Amino acid sequence: MSQPWMHRRTLIACLTAGLLAPYRLQAAALPYRLMPDATEVRFTFRLSGQPQHGRIPVRTARIRIDPQNLARSQADITLDASRARTGLIFATEALKSPSVLNTARFPEIRFRSTRVRLGPDGRLSGGAQIGGELTLRGTTRPLTLQSALYRRPGTAANDLRELDVHLSGSLSRAAFGASGYPDLVADQVTLAIKARIRQAG
C-alpha cells in the first residue's frame, strides 16, 4: 500500500513539472541580435507616378528563434523614424512633416510579431509569413510580411549562429493617418528588409 508521503512527493513533482514547462518552451527560443552593418530597411513610394526609395535605420531589435518549433519565433523591431531618408531633400522633409510621419511627435515606428505561418516545406522561407502589429503615428494596425530565413552560404545544416533574413510587404499610409500630399504621393508604400542576425551570448 502506498504511503501518504509518496503521494505528496508525486503531486509536488507533477506540479513542479507543470510550472516549469512554459519556461522550458521559452528557453528553447534562442535570442539573436541584429548586425547593423548588414541590415537595411528600405521603403518605396510613388511621387508623381515615379518610384522613389528611402531608408529607415533600426533603433532596437529583439529577435528570438526556436529551431525546434519555428512557428514560435518572435520579433519586436523599433525603427528610428526621425532619421528616415529619401533620395530627395524636399521629399525627406515632407516625409517627416506633421501630415505624414510627424516625427516630432512620433519619432519611432514599431513592428511586433504576433504569429508565424511557415512555408509549405515547414520553414521560414518559401511562402512563410510573419503577421504582427505595426505602430506608426501612434496608430496600431495588423501587417503581414513575406518572410525568408537563410543560413549563411557554406555553413553546416545545423549551424544557426548567423542567419540572413529577408522580409517584404506593403501598407496603406492613409490607414495610419500619414495621408499628406495625396495629389503627389500614392497611398501604397512597399517595404523591403534585409537583415543579418547572430546568436546573442
Side-chain angles (χ1 to χ4, degrees), residues 176-188:
F176 295 88
S179 55
Y181 309 98
D183 295 337
L184 295 174
V185 182
D187 180 56
Q188 287 294 310

Side-chain angles (χ1 to χ4, degrees), residues 16-26:
T16 302
L19 290 171
L20 290 178
Y23 294 97
R24 292 194 184 111
L25 289 173
Q26 186 177 11

Side-chain angles (χ1 to χ4, degrees), residues 28 42 48-49 62 73 80-81 105 133-134 161 171 183 192 197:
R42 294 173 59 94
S48 298
R62 295 178 65 250
S73 301
D80 190 348
R105 184 178 177 189
E133 296 178 340
L134 179 70
R161 291 173 296 176
L171 59 91
D183 295 337
I197 58 177

Side-chain angles (χ1 to χ4, degrees), residues 91-111:
T92 296
E93 295 305 314
L95 176 69
K96 298 178 182 181
S97 70
S99 64
V100 187
L101 292 182
N102 195 2
T103 57
R105 184 178 177 189
F106 305 105
E108 296 181 345
I109 299 171
R110 182 186 179 192
F111 176 78

Side-chain angles (χ1 to χ4, degrees), residues 7-8 22 26 30 39 56 60 82 109 115 148 150 159 163 172 176 185:
H7 287 294
R8 287 196 297 271
Q26 186 177 11
L30 304 174
T39 297
I56 306 180
T60 62
S82 65
I109 299 171
R115 70 184 186 283
Y150 305 102
D159 185 355
L163 302 169
S172 160
F176 295 88
V185 182

Side-chain angles (χ1 to χ4, degrees), residues 69-83:
N69 187 352
L70 290 171
R72 293 178 58 87
S73 301
Q74 300 175 339
D76 190 341
I77 312 295
T78 298
L79 306 180
D80 190 348
S82 65
R83 294 172 57 203

Side-chain angles (χ1 to χ4, degrees), residues 46-61:
R46 286 192 170 272
L47 175 63
S48 298
Q50 299 300 314
Q52 303 291 335
H53 307 288
R55 294 179 175 83
I56 306 180
V58 177
R59 177 170 288 181
T60 62

